[in-house]
Amino acid sequence: MTSRDSASSEITPEVLLRAYACGIFPMAESAADPTLFWVEPELRGVIPLDGFRIASRLARTVRSDAYKVTVDTAFKAVIAGCAAPQVGRDDTWINKRIRDLYVGLHMLGHCHSVEVWQDDDLVGGLYGVSLGRAFFGESMFHTARDASKVALVHLVARLIAGGFELLDTQYVTDHLKTFGAIEIPRRRYRALLDKAIAGEPADFRKLDTAHPVKGEEALAIVAARN
């Protein structure tokens, strides 16, 4: 289900948070399209935190710490990377308005990034929205092999450690299926969402944010939950 928004001045970061609490999120037709439309899929993609799967080769990469992983140190660069064309994807749904809104959410403490570095170069990452005990994954990118996958492993470890209950991926792709992503009906999703945003919120910063978390620690956290 979609609903097009033509009054661009009416959506603020605060309005965006209320939309997420109702199970709705915005998208644009393309990076060049200045308008947004609201989306509430009939089938919602989620990755169960107790069913997150890591391929053995990826686990070796994470454990090796070949990449340095940080959190909330380069949010604007991550969202720019997600908005940039990539191999097999010439355009994205992330327009300037989307970028401005999520930067605003980041400044409010409700949007976070995970950055993956090779030496001093940002080679991958992801960003998403935190609300209650729910995390809504928005987009990811990579310019080096497995960099976005490493970011996802570290994200899931952080969500488990911080007491999150719901990891929303919006849609399910073949790529996300390899990590255990599933589709659930809207009604079931809304029940999970309502539970996740009620009560004590999770703590995205429960794991250290001042220093990179080692891959071995991230893998141990995920293994203990699974």
PDB file of all heavy atoms in Angstrom, residues 23-48:
ATOM      1  N   GLY A  23       4.180   1.712  11.334  1.00  0.00           N
ATOM      2  CA  GLY A  23       4.534   0.724  10.334  1.00  0.00           C
ATOM      3  C   GLY A  23       4.672   1.271   8.927  1.00  0.00           C
ATOM      4  O   GLY A  23       4.628   0.509   7.952  1.00  0.00           O
ATOM      5  N   ILE A  24       4.857   2.578   8.794  1.00  0.00           N
ATOM      6  CA  ILE A  24       4.919   3.234   7.485  1.00  0.00           C
ATOM      7  C   ILE A  24       6.297   3.861   7.308  1.00  0.00           C
ATOM      8  O   ILE A  24       6.885   4.368   8.263  1.00  0.00           O
ATOM      9  CB  ILE A  24       3.838   4.329   7.372  1.00  0.00           C
ATOM     10  CG1 ILE A  24       2.458   3.750   7.699  1.00  0.00           C
ATOM     11  CG2 ILE A  24       3.829   4.958   5.985  1.00  0.00           C
ATOM     12  CD1 ILE A  24       1.385   4.807   7.876  1.00  0.00           C
ATOM     13  N   PHE A  25       6.811   3.847   6.094  1.00  0.00           N
ATOM     14  CA  PHE A  25       8.086   4.494   5.817  1.00  0.00           C
ATOM     15  C   PHE A  25       8.024   5.188   4.456  1.00  0.00           C
ATOM     16  O   PHE A  25       7.216   4.827   3.597  1.00  0.00           O
ATOM     17  CB  PHE A  25       9.244   3.492   5.861  1.00  0.00           C
ATOM     18  CG  PHE A  25       9.114   2.336   4.905  1.00  0.00           C
ATOM     19  CD1 PHE A  25       9.595   2.421   3.603  1.00  0.00           C
ATOM     20  CD2 PHE A  25       8.514   1.146   5.307  1.00  0.00           C
ATOM     21  CE1 PHE A  25       9.483   1.353   2.721  1.00  0.00           C
ATOM     22  CE2 PHE A  25       8.396   0.076   4.432  1.00  0.00           C
ATOM     23  CZ  PHE A  25       8.883   0.185   3.136  1.00  0.00           C
ATOM     24  N   PRO A  26       8.890   6.197   4.229  1.00  0.00           N
ATOM     25  CA  PRO A  26       8.853   6.942   2.972  1.00  0.00           C
ATOM     26  C   PRO A  26       9.859   6.420   1.951  1.00  0.00           C
ATOM     27  O   PRO A  26      10.901   5.864   2.305  1.00  0.00           O
ATOM     28  CB  PRO A  26       9.237   8.359   3.413  1.00  0.00           C
ATOM     29  CG  PRO A  26      10.223   8.117   4.516  1.00  0.00           C
ATOM     30  CD  PRO A  26       9.773   6.847   5.218  1.00  0.00           C
ATOM     31  N   MET A  27       9.551   6.624   0.682  1.00  0.00           N
ATOM     32  CA  MET A  27      10.479   6.347  -0.400  1.00  0.00           C
ATOM     33  C   MET A  27      10.278   7.403  -1.479  1.00  0.00           C
ATOM     34  O   MET A  27       9.289   8.148  -1.466  1.00  0.00           O
ATOM     35  CB  MET A  27      10.249   4.954  -0.998  1.00  0.00           C
ATOM     36  CG  MET A  27      10.539   3.802  -0.061  1.00  0.00           C
ATOM     37  SD  MET A  27      10.423   2.163  -0.855  1.00  0.00           S
ATOM     38  CE  MET A  27      11.948   2.177  -1.825  1.00  0.00           C
ATOM     39  N   ALA A  28      11.227   7.484  -2.394  1.00  0.00           N
ATOM     40  CA  ALA A  28      11.106   8.338  -3.570  1.00  0.00           C
ATOM     41  C   ALA A  28      11.226   7.467  -4.806  1.00  0.00           C
ATOM     42  O   ALA A  28      11.802   6.373  -4.763  1.00  0.00           O
ATOM     43  CB  ALA A  28      12.190   9.411  -3.565  1.00  0.00           C
ATOM     44  N   GLU A  29      10.681   7.931  -5.923  1.00  0.00           N
ATOM     45  CA  GLU A  29      10.772   7.165  -7.166  1.00  0.00           C
ATOM     46  C   GLU A  29      12.219   7.034  -7.629  1.00  0.00           C
ATOM     47  O   GLU A  29      12.628   6.013  -8.171  1.00  0.00           O
ATOM     48  CB  GLU A  29       9.941   7.832  -8.258  1.00  0.00           C
ATOM     49  CG  GLU A  29       8.449   7.731  -8.049  1.00  0.00           C
ATOM     50  CD  GLU A  29       7.904   6.335  -8.274  1.00  0.00           C
ATOM     51  OE1 GLU A  29       8.679   5.440  -8.675  1.00  0.00           O
ATOM     52  OE2 GLU A  29       6.703   6.128  -8.029  1.00  0.00           O
ATOM     53  N   SER A  30      13.006   8.094  -7.413  1.00  0.00           N
ATOM     54  CA  SER A  30      14.407   8.094  -7.826  1.00  0.00           C
ATOM     55  C   SER A  30      15.137   9.169  -7.047  1.00  0.00           C
ATOM     56  O   SER A  30      14.523  10.002  -6.368  1.00  0.00           O
ATOM     57  CB  SER A  30      14.530   8.376  -9.326  1.00  0.00           C
ATOM     58  OG  SER A  30      14.178   9.722  -9.609  1.00  0.00           O
ATOM     59  N   ALA A  31      16.451   9.184  -7.172  1.00  0.00           N
ATOM     60  CA  ALA A  31      17.250  10.192  -6.481  1.00  0.00           C
ATOM     61  C   ALA A  31      16.951  11.589  -6.978  1.00  0.00           C
ATOM     62  O   ALA A  31      17.132  12.578  -6.251  1.00  0.00           O
ATOM     63  CB  ALA A  31      18.733   9.878  -6.650  1.00  0.00           C
ATOM     64  N   ALA A  32      16.474  11.709  -8.228  1.00  0.00           N
ATOM     65  CA  ALA A  32      16.191  13.026  -8.809  1.00  0.00           C
ATOM     66  C   ALA A  32      14.764  13.504  -8.533  1.00  0.00           C
ATOM     67  O   ALA A  32      14.446  14.678  -8.751  1.00  0.00           O
ATOM     68  CB  ALA A  32      16.441  12.989 -10.314  1.00  0.00           C
ATOM     69  N   ASP A  33      13.905  12.611  -8.040  1.00  0.00           N
ATOM     70  CA  ASP A  33      12.502  12.953  -7.786  1.00  0.00           C
ATOM     71  C   ASP A  33      12.387  13.653  -6.430  1.00  0.00           C
ATOM     72  O   ASP A  33      12.757  13.078  -5.410  1.00  0.00           O
ATOM     73  CB  ASP A  33      11.665  11.678  -7.792  1.00  0.00           C
ATOM     74  CG  ASP A  33      10.172  11.961  -7.649  1.00  0.00           C
ATOM     75  OD1 ASP A  33       9.800  13.124  -7.408  1.00  0.00           O
ATOM     76  OD2 ASP A  33       9.381  11.015  -7.775  1.00  0.00           O
ATOM     77  N   PRO A  34      11.883  14.894  -6.378  1.00  0.00           N
ATOM     78  CA  PRO A  34      11.829  15.618  -5.107  1.00  0.00           C
ATOM     79  C   PRO A  34      10.687  15.188  -4.193  1.00  0.00           C
ATOM     80  O   PRO A  34      10.639  15.579  -3.029  1.00  0.00           O
ATOM     81  CB  PRO A  34      11.639  17.076  -5.547  1.00  0.00           C
ATOM     82  CG  PRO A  34      10.901  16.974  -6.839  1.00  0.00           C
ATOM     83  CD  PRO A  34      11.420  15.726  -7.513  1.00  0.00           C
ATOM     84  N   THR A  35       9.744  14.395  -4.687  1.00  0.00           N
ATOM     85  CA  THR A  35       8.590  14.016  -3.877  1.00  0.00           C
ATOM     86  C   THR A  35       8.823  12.672  -3.185  1.00  0.00           C
ATOM     87  O   THR A  35       9.697  11.906  -3.550  1.00  0.00           O
ATOM     88  CB  THR A  35       7.309  13.923  -4.733  1.00  0.00           C
ATOM     89  OG1 THR A  35       7.478  12.886  -5.705  1.00  0.00           O
ATOM     90  CG2 THR A  35       7.039  15.242  -5.434  1.00  0.00           C
ATOM     91  N   LEU A  36       7.996  12.426  -2.181  1.00  0.00           N
ATOM     92  CA  LEU A  36       8.043  11.171  -1.432  1.00  0.00           C
ATOM     93  C   LEU A  36       6.686  10.497  -1.469  1.00  0.00           C
ATOM     94  O   LEU A  36       5.659  11.141  -1.698  1.00  0.00           O
ATOM     95  CB  LEU A  36       8.415  11.432   0.027  1.00  0.00           C
ATOM     96  CG  LEU A  36       9.751  12.094   0.337  1.00  0.00           C
ATOM     97  CD1 LEU A  36       9.919  12.209   1.841  1.00  0.00           C
ATOM     98  CD2 LEU A  36      10.898  11.325  -0.277  1.00  0.00           C
ATOM     99  N   PHE A  37       6.675   9.203  -1.234  1.00  0.00           N
ATOM    100  CA  PHE A  37       5.411   8.510  -1.026  1.00  0.00           C
ATOM    101  C   PHE A  37       5.571   7.566   0.155  1.00  0.00           C
ATOM    102  O   PHE A  37       6.661   7.072   0.439  1.00  0.00           O
ATOM    103  CB  PHE A  37       4.945   7.769  -2.286  1.00  0.00           C
ATOM    104  CG  PHE A  37       5.918   6.761  -2.824  1.00  0.00           C
ATOM    105  CD1 PHE A  37       5.870   5.432  -2.424  1.00  0.00           C
ATOM    106  CD2 PHE A  37       6.880   7.130  -3.759  1.00  0.00           C
ATOM    107  CE1 PHE A  37       6.755   4.492  -2.931  1.00  0.00           C
ATOM    108  CE2 PHE A  37       7.768   6.194  -4.278  1.00  0.00           C
ATOM    109  CZ  PHE A  37       7.706   4.880  -3.856  1.00  0.00           C
ATOM    110  N   TRP A  38       4.470   7.357   0.863  1.00  0.00           N
ATOM    111  CA  TRP A  38       4.470   6.487   2.033  1.00  0.00           C
ATOM    112  C   TRP A  38       4.206   5.055   1.610  1.00  0.00           C
ATOM    113  O   TRP A  38       3.398   4.792   0.719  1.00  0.00           O
ATOM    114  CB  TRP A  38       3.399   6.917   3.024  1.00  0.00           C
ATOM    115  CG  TRP A  38       3.622   8.257   3.637  1.00  0.00           C
ATOM    116  CD1 TRP A  38       2.915   9.397   3.392  1.00  0.00           C
ATOM    117  CD2 TRP A  38       4.612   8.604   4.603  1.00  0.00           C
ATOM    118  NE1 TRP A  38       3.402  10.432   4.149  1.00  0.00           N
ATOM    119  CE2 TRP A  38       4.445   9.979   4.902  1.00  0.00           C
ATOM    120  CE3 TRP A  38       5.626   7.891   5.237  1.00  0.00           C
ATOM    121  CZ2 TRP A  38       5.241  10.651   5.818  1.00  0.00           C
ATOM    122  CZ3 TRP A  38       6.431   8.565   6.159  1.00  0.00           C
ATOM    123  CH2 TRP A  38       6.238   9.921   6.440  1.00  0.00           C
ATOM    124  N   VAL A  39       4.873   4.124   2.268  1.00  0.00           N
ATOM    125  CA  VAL A  39       4.760   2.708   1.923  1.00  0.00           C
ATOM    126  C   VAL A  39       4.439   1.897   3.172  1.00  0.00           C
ATOM    127  O   VAL A  39       5.031   2.108   4.231  1.00  0.00           O
ATOM    128  CB  VAL A  39       6.070   2.185   1.296  1.00  0.00           C
ATOM    129  CG1 VAL A  39       5.911   0.733   0.875  1.00  0.00           C
ATOM    130  CG2 VAL A  39       6.496   3.041   0.113  1.00  0.00           C
ATOM    131  N   GLU A  40       3.496   0.961   3.034  1.00  0.00           N
ATOM    132  CA  GLU A  40       3.193  -0.013   4.087  1.00  0.00           C
ATOM    133  C   GLU A  40       2.979  -1.356   3.397  1.00  0.00           C
ATOM    134  O   GLU A  40       1.871  -1.675   2.977  1.00  0.00           O
ATOM    135  CB  GLU A  40       1.954   0.384   4.887  1.00  0.00           C
ATOM    136  CG  GLU A  40       1.709  -0.532   6.084  1.00  0.00           C
ATOM    137  CD  GLU A  40       0.458  -0.166   6.860  1.00  0.00           C
ATOM    138  OE1 GLU A  40      -0.362   0.613   6.319  1.00  0.00           O
ATOM    139  OE2 GLU A  40       0.305  -0.665   8.000  1.00  0.00           O
ATOM    140  N   PRO A  41       4.035  -2.158   3.251  1.00  0.00           N
ATOM    141  CA  PRO A  41       3.926  -3.399   2.477  1.00  0.00           C
ATOM    142  C   PRO A  41       2.938  -4.395   3.082  1.00  0.00           C
ATOM    143  O   PRO A  41       2.782  -4.475   4.295  1.00  0.00           O
ATOM    144  CB  PRO A  41       5.352  -3.972   2.530  1.00  0.00           C
ATOM    145  CG  PRO A  41       6.224  -2.810   2.890  1.00  0.00           C
ATOM    146  CD  PRO A  41       5.386  -1.935   3.766  1.00  0.00           C
ATOM    147  N   GLU A  42       2.278  -5.137   2.188  1.00  0.00           N
ATOM    148  CA  GLU A  42       1.405  -6.220   2.650  1.00  0.00           C
ATOM    149  C   GLU A  42       2.225  -7.292   3.358  1.00  0.00           C
ATOM    150  O   GLU A  42       1.796  -7.868   4.353  1.00  0.00           O
ATOM    151  CB  GLU A  42       0.673  -6.836   1.459  1.00  0.00           C
ATOM    152  CG  GLU A  42      -0.390  -5.947   0.844  1.00  0.00           C
ATOM    153  CD  GLU A  42      -1.647  -5.871   1.683  1.00  0.00           C
ATOM    154  OE1 GLU A  42      -1.772  -6.654   2.644  1.00  0.00           O
ATOM    155  OE2 GLU A  42      -2.497  -5.015   1.396  1.00  0.00           O
ATOM    156  N   LEU A  43       3.414  -7.590   2.817  1.00  0.00           N
ATOM    157  CA  LEU A  43       4.343  -8.532   3.437  1.00  0.00           C
ATOM    158  C   LEU A  43       5.589  -7.764   3.832  1.00  0.00           C
ATOM    159  O   LEU A  43       6.190  -7.055   3.010  1.00  0.00           O
ATOM    160  CB  LEU A  43       4.698  -9.654   2.469  1.00  0.00           C
ATOM    161  CG  LEU A  43       3.566 -10.619   2.114  1.00  0.00           C
ATOM    162  CD1 LEU A  43       4.006 -11.593   1.036  1.00  0.00           C
ATOM    163  CD2 LEU A  43       3.101 -11.379   3.365  1.00  0.00           C
ATOM    164  N   ARG A  44       5.987  -7.882   5.088  1.00  0.00           N
ATOM    165  CA  ARG A  44       7.104  -7.105   5.611  1.00  0.00           C
ATOM    166  C   ARG A  44       8.317  -7.992   5.803  1.00  0.00           C
ATOM    167  O   ARG A  44       8.208  -9.131   6.274  1.00  0.00           O
ATOM    168  CB  ARG A  44       6.711  -6.495   6.967  1.00  0.00           C
ATOM    169  CG  ARG A  44       7.622  -5.400   7.459  1.00  0.00           C
ATOM    170  CD  ARG A  44       7.476  -4.137   6.624  1.00  0.00           C
ATOM    171  NE  ARG A  44       8.068  -2.988   7.279  1.00  0.00           N
ATOM    172  CZ  ARG A  44       7.407  -1.868   7.553  1.00  0.00           C
ATOM    173  NH1 ARG A  44       6.127  -1.751   7.222  1.00  0.00           N
ATOM    174  NH2 ARG A  44       8.015  -0.863   8.128  1.00  0.00           N
ATOM    175  N   GLY A  45       9.481  -7.474   5.446  1.00  0.00           N
ATOM    176  CA  GLY A  45      10.715  -8.209   5.644  1.00  0.00           C
ATOM    177  C   GLY A  45      11.282  -7.980   7.039  1.00  0.00           C
ATOM    178  O   GLY A  45      11.360  -6.843   7.498  1.00  0.00           O
ATOM    179  N   VAL A  46      11.648  -9.046   7.713  1.00  0.00           N
ATOM    180  CA  VAL A  46      12.307  -8.950   9.021  1.00  0.00           C
ATOM    181  C   VAL A  46      13.410 -10.005   9.079  1.00  0.00           C
ATOM    182  O   VAL A  46      13.342 -11.029   8.399  1.00  0.00           O
ATOM    183  CB  VAL A  46      11.337  -9.154  10.206  1.00  0.00           C
ATOM    184  CG1 VAL A  46      10.241  -8.096  10.206  1.00  0.00           C
ATOM    185  CG2 VAL A  46      10.747 -10.555  10.203  1.00  0.00           C
ATOM    186  N   ILE A  47      14.426  -9.714   9.885  1.00  0.00           N
ATOM    187  CA  ILE A  47      15.433 -10.723  10.202  1.00  0.00           C
ATOM    188  C   ILE A  47      15.284 -11.060  11.682  1.00  0.00           C
ATOM    189  O   ILE A  47      15.578 -10.218  12.542  1.00  0.00           O
ATOM    190  CB  ILE A  47      16.864 -10.226   9.929  1.00  0.00           C
ATOM    191  CG1 ILE A  47      17.069  -9.958   8.441  1.00  0.00           C
ATOM    192  CG2 ILE A  47      17.885 -11.259  10.417  1.00  0.00           C
ATOM    193  CD1 ILE A  47      18.460  -9.440   8.096  1.00  0.00           C
ATOM    194  N   PRO A  48      14.788 -12.260  12.010  1.00  0.00           N
ATOM    195  CA  PRO A  48      14.684 -12.644  13.427  1.00  0.00           C
ATOM    196  C   PRO A  48      16.074 -12.634  14.069  1.00  0.00           C
ATOM    197  O   PRO A  48      17.008 -13.268  13.551  1.00  0.00           O
ATOM    198  CB  PRO A  48      14.097 -14.054  13.373  1.00  0.00           C
ATOM    199  CG  PRO A  48      13.418 -14.140  12.031  1.00  0.00           C
ATOM    200  CD  PRO A  48      14.257 -13.309  11.117  1.00  0.00           C
TER     201      PRO A  48
END
